[in-house]
Amino acid sequence: MCGIIGYIGQNDVAKKILHNLKKLEYRGYDSSGICLKKNNTLFVKKSVGEISNLQSKININFNSHVGIAHTRWATHGKVNVTNTHPHISQDKMWAVVHNGIIENYLEITKQLKEKGIHLYSETDSEVIANLMAISQKQNNALKLHEVTTLLHGSYALCLINAKEETLYIARRHSPLYVAHKDDACMVSSDPACFSEDFHDYYVLPDECIATVNSDGVTFYDQNMKILHLTPCEIGTFEKSSELGKYSYYAEKEISEIPHVLNDIILNYQTVDHFKHINKSFLKHIKSIKLIGCGTAYHACMIGAKYLEKFTKIEANAYIASEFRYQNPMVDKNTLCIFLSQSGETADTLLSLELAKSKGAKTLAIVNVPYSSIARNADIVLPLCAGIEIAVMSTKAYNAMLMVLYLLSVHIANINNDFSLTFPSEVKYINFFKNIEKIDEISDLVLKSDKTFFIGRGEDYVTALEAGLKLKEITYINCVSLPSGELKHGTISLIDKKSLVFVISTDEKLLSKNLTSASEIKARGGKIVLVTNLDVQDNKDVDYIYKIDRPKEEISSILSVIPFQVLAYKTCLKKGYSPDKPRNLAKSVTVE
Ligand code: F6R
């Protein structure tokens, strides 16, 4: 979603800002803009589409020592140049870039209009620059503080004033980070941007503001008391964002899956991440709720199955945006587990706050170690998947399933069931068995009018995830459902141009799935059976795709891989970009 860069330096400020703005591309955006200060004047350039369009409008050697820039993912108002940030106050003294949503912007707009201030854009952000311009407080830090008290909703803000070489920053429920060294300072909504030029960075605390200039960073709390913070070191996570030999991040990240899974097992064997999940922590836990969005929600569904099966504690999965509004049955005897790759998904973060307010024990499973969800949960389990850049989440999903498996084994062991152990043999698994055949299967998808994914139990979840992957990067409309539900409605769609993937990795459910295959075949549909079981040729199945069969009960971690590759290959055949699908953002920081 939207991204922020602010920079102060002696040389190459425009160049540095654009270079770092490009690092935010992966988060998804529709337009971008920059504001540079020179001779007490703010110069703004904006462009719709790729950052390269903006780049072509800028003189890279423009002599400025301070600037701000933004990638906008439209929420309020169309994708056009006027709505693109930075926004300038009517008196041309303030420029602002904003991530988040100002809920009371219409009310503020009305008040500003009454004062004779004209607003040009349809955004909720332009009001902020104008509120700064009309504030009567005696210094700019106090003005920013006053303005934040007037804003409802969420924000990460970075502002500059035409007369100063200072960045003014503030945040509420939307992340913002700042780094400082002798000759430069940088503000970003993503700390991965700091890895080239800085050794460490600060997390701006929620509801706080800061001023950033060549003398350093001054942090203020809600009462304008100065805060002394400890910086975070830039770790390998922030540094691992190079594409290397791959054409796309999606390809790179899928290929990293075996390595990531092995790393997780080694990491969890050597570091005691579970040390706080002990007998006393679990003593009064009566139920477990797993909460996430999209792919992370699918991981929650598998996690609930692992946990219930291994620990015999009731476990259920919830979509975060639903969980928040259903008055969930959560109290001090509930363990709420939040899953998120980015650790910033607004609905998941706000669900975490809701669960905490109801007294639940909270555990976060996140990939981004410094994220808001990681900082707010009682206990954090790292995904150890390395940075994920492609919007389509792949390796993070497999990693979530592995961490959930290890967690379930750990809780089972605490409850004296020692029959389960951590998987030891992932290095012997052929994760990409028969992967070359996906090319042919992708042609089947392209030739079909309708694509379906069906399965039972964990395979149903794989069907959901397979459908989500295909939809999000190929724009093919497809349907995922439990095999048993077909005849309750959806089978009416099946005809000769239908392709149905039947996923079957559980011996007990194979015959049921094959019955569903026969029902589809009888109506002219084409069947691809994806299985790790010994299936003889079957007249109702057009194509059998065999995946490897692990010793442990981790087949869902494997069975999704052909579908991740299928989405990737089909996307390339359709000529789309697998890393940056339209309308989507990597980090969904708005509700
Ligand atoms: C799908 C995808 C999304 C995310 C979802 C949650 O490929 O990327 O469905 O899984 O937006 O994001 P996180 O895991 O960052 O909370």
Side-chain angles (χ1 to χ4, degrees):
M1 290 211 148
C2 303
I4 288 177
I5 297 291
Y7 199 89
I8 300 178
Q10 289 315 306
N11 309 303
D12 297 333
V13 168
K15 213 175 183 167
K16 288 274 181 202
I17 291 179
L18 285 172
H19 178 70
N20 285 295
L21 199 62
K22 275 190 90 63
K23 292 190 195 164
L24 300 178
E25 278 196 304
Y26 78 97
R27 302 170 74 94
Y29 67 104
D30 321 292
S31 63
S32 57
I34 185 170
C35 175
L36 297 162
K37 171 199 155 353
K38 187 180 168 182
N39 302 336
N40 295 343
T41 307
L42 298 175
F43 293 87
V44 179
K45 293 281 180 210
K46 303 180 185 187
S47 192
V48 167
E50 303 268 313
I51 293 177
S52 50
N53 300 341
L54 176 68
Q55 220 154 358
S56 64
K57 291 185 172 176
I58 292 166
N59 167 10
I60 214 76
N61 299 317
F62 188 84
N63 186 17
S64 165
H65 299 304
V66 60
I68 55 176
H70 193 254
T71 46
R72 173 174 188 252
W73 188 86
T75 57
H76 292 68
K78 288 184 277 301
V79 177
N80 61 27
V81 168
T82 315
N83 289 334
T84 300
H85 302 213
H87 294 288
I88 304 288
S89 58
Q90 185 168 276
D91 68 359
K92 303 210 172 358
M93 293 308 287
W94 285 97
V96 66
V97 289
H98 164 222
N99 290 357
I101 291 177
I102 304 302
E103 287 163 3
N104 58 337
Y105 81 102
L106 287 175
E107 206 179 302
I108 302 175
T109 303
K110 197 164 156 249
Q111 290 158 8
L112 290 171
K113 279 191 178 152
E114 280 162 13
K115 290 189 162 67
I117 292 170
H118 180 75
L119 295 164
Y120 297 87
S121 74
E122 303 162 278
T123 68
D124 55 333
S125 313
E126 192 182 352
V127 294
I128 301 163
N130 285 294
L131 286 175
M132 288 296 285
I134 61 169
S135 171
Q136 297 299 312
K137 292 285 174 189
Q138 63 270 41
N139 69 46
N140 288 338
L142 287 171
K143 285 183 188 184
L144 179 58
H145 175 252
E146 181 186 64
V147 169
T148 58
T149 62
L150 303 174
L151 304 176
H152 297 173
S154 62
Y155 53 79
L157 303 176
C158 186
L159 295 110
I160 51 173
N161 181 280
K163 289 196 173 148
E164 285 179 41
E165 267 151 31
T166 302
L167 297 166
Y168 292 92
I169 62 175
R171 84 170 190 100
R172 181 192 294 153
H173 303 333
S174 188
L176 202 58
Y177 307 87
V178 54
H180 179 263
K181 60 179 186 174
D182 285 348
D183 57 349
C185 316
M186 188 158 109
V187 168
S188 175
S189 51
D190 185 341
C193 293
F194 299 129
S195 63
E196 279 174 74
D197 289 338
F198 297 87
H199 297 298
D200 52 22
Y201 61 90
Y202 295 91
V203 179
L204 178 64
D206 206 28
E207 308 268 8
C208 291
I209 71 169
T211 57
V212 186
N213 56 35
S214 52
D215 295 335
V217 188
T218 312
F219 296 97
Y220 301 91
D221 73 3
Q222 282 152 293
N223 304 313
M224 287 306 277
K225 271 186 47 200
I226 291 187
L227 292 171
H228 297 282
L229 304 178
T230 315
C232 310
E233 251 183 59
I234 289 170
T236 44
F237 182 85
E238 292 90 334
K239 286 180 183 155
S240 62
S241 56
E242 298 303 316
L243 188 56
K245 62 177 184 183
Y246 296 95
S247 311
Y248 294 98
Y249 282 103
E251 182 193 12
K252 174 180 185 247
E253 287 158 8
I254 295 169
S255 77
E256 285 171 353
I257 291 168
H259 182 71
V260 164
L261 296 173
N262 219 28
D263 272 5
I264 294 172
I265 295 171
L266 284 177
N267 189 289
Y268 275 72
Q269 274 165 350
T270 45
V271 184
D272 192 6
H273 295 296
F274 294 133
K275 68 173 174 277
H276 298 297
I277 307 171
N278 49 28
K279 260 206 157 70
S280 86
F281 179 84
L282 292 167
K283 197 165 162 205
H284 300 292
I285 297 299
K286 301 268 184 299
S287 72
I288 303 176
K289 298 195 188 306
L290 297 101
I291 299 125
C293 298
T295 286
Y297 166 65
H298 296 157
C300 291
M301 291 176 79
I302 297 277
K305 290 181 193 296
Y306 287 160
L307 283 160
E308 236 177 44
K309 188 158 151 201
F310 296 174
T311 72
K312 312 285 180 269
I313 303 172
E314 186 193 331
N316 287 294
Y318 297 84
I319 294 172
S321 56
E322 292 293 312
F323 178 80
R324 292 177 54 202
Y325 302 107
Q326 66 186 64
N327 196 12
M329 304 265 287
V330 171
D331 60 21
K332 62 181 183 344
N333 298 327
T334 318
L335 171 61
C336 288
I337 305 180
F338 298 88
L339 270 89
S340 178
Q341 187 288 126
S342 63
E344 300 296 349
T345 301
D347 280 309
T348 312
L349 179 60
L350 292 164
S351 298
L352 166 63
E353 283 178 13
L354 174 69
K356 282 177 84 168
S357 72
K358 286 175 171 268
K361 293 196 160 75
T362 59
L363 190 161
I365 301 180
V366 291
N367 198 31
V368 180
Y370 39 72
S371 59
S372 305
I373 294 175
R375 288 198 306 272
N376 287 326
D378 298 331
I379 298 177
V380 181
L381 297 179
L383 272 188
C384 313
I387 203 159
E388 193 178 66
I389 302 271
V391 167
M392 159 173 86
S393 189
T394 53
K395 62 175 179 173
Y397 176 71
N398 306 67
M400 282 174 185
L401 300 198
M402 181 56 87
V403 172
L404 284 162
Y405 184 89
L406 303 186
L407 173 68
S408 309
V409 170
H410 172 76
I411 298 181
N413 289 173
I414 289 183
N415 291 344
N416 297 324
D417 176 356
F418 297 103
S419 60
L420 295 151
T421 51
F422 280 12
S424 52
E425 294 195 356
V426 290
K427 55 179 177 293
Y428 301 116
I429 294 173
N430 184 355
F431 288 91
F432 298 109
K433 188 170 168 178
N434 292 320
I435 214 71
E436 66 290 347
K437 296 188 179 156
I438 292 294
D439 219 28
E440 220 175 303
I441 296 178
S442 145
D443 289 338
L444 293 179
V445 172
L446 290 170
K447 276 189 218 141
S448 311
D449 274 357
K450 300 170 213 161
T451 304
F452 300 82
F453 299 92
I454 65 169
R456 288 169 188 261
E458 287 182 30
D459 294 331
Y460 162 51
V461 184
T462 305
L464 287 172
E465 181 58 7
L468 183 62
K469 295 299 95 156
L470 193 70
K471 268 176 224 167
E472 72 181 309
I473 63 166
T474 70
Y475 319 134
I476 291 172
N477 191 0
C478 53
V479 176
S480 302
L481 75 166
S483 310
E485 278 292 290
L486 246 189
K487 52 181 160 306
H488 297 290
T490 310
I491 202 161
S492 65
L493 293 174
I494 301 290
D495 60 17
K496 287 200 177 78
K497 296 282 263 172
S498 304
L499 177 68
V500 184
F501 288 88
V502 180
I503 307 160
S504 201
T505 61
D506 183 340
E507 198 90 62
K508 300 187 292 302
L509 299 172
L510 178 64
S511 64
K512 303 265 180 229
N513 283 327
L514 290 175
T515 304
S516 303
S518 307
E519 290 164 0
I520 295 158
K521 196 72 202 169
R523 280 143 189 102
K526 221 183 198 49
I527 309 278
V528 178
L529 176 68
V530 177
T531 185
N532 57 8
L533 305 170
D534 294 324
V535 184
Q536 303 310 321
D537 278 348
N538 179 308
K539 66 176 176 23
D540 293 330
V541 173
D542 298 279
Y543 207 110
I544 300 182
Y545 184 91
K546 285 299 280 285
I547 50 176
D548 208 3
R549 188 170 192 174
K551 209 174 79 193
E552 287 86 2
E553 298 180 52
I554 55 167
S555 57
S556 297
I557 301 179
L558 266 73
S559 56
V560 73
I561 295 174
F563 296 108
Q564 295 166 331
V565 177
L566 176 68
Y568 175 74
K569 294 244 168 193
T570 313
C571 170
L572 291 185
K573 285 184 186 172
K574 292 192 81 178
Y576 299 131
S577 156
D579 288 347
K580 287 182 239 157
R582 69 186 180 207
N583 305 339
L584 290 175
K586 184 68 183 159
S587 189
V588 185
T589 48
V590 292
E591 295 169 55

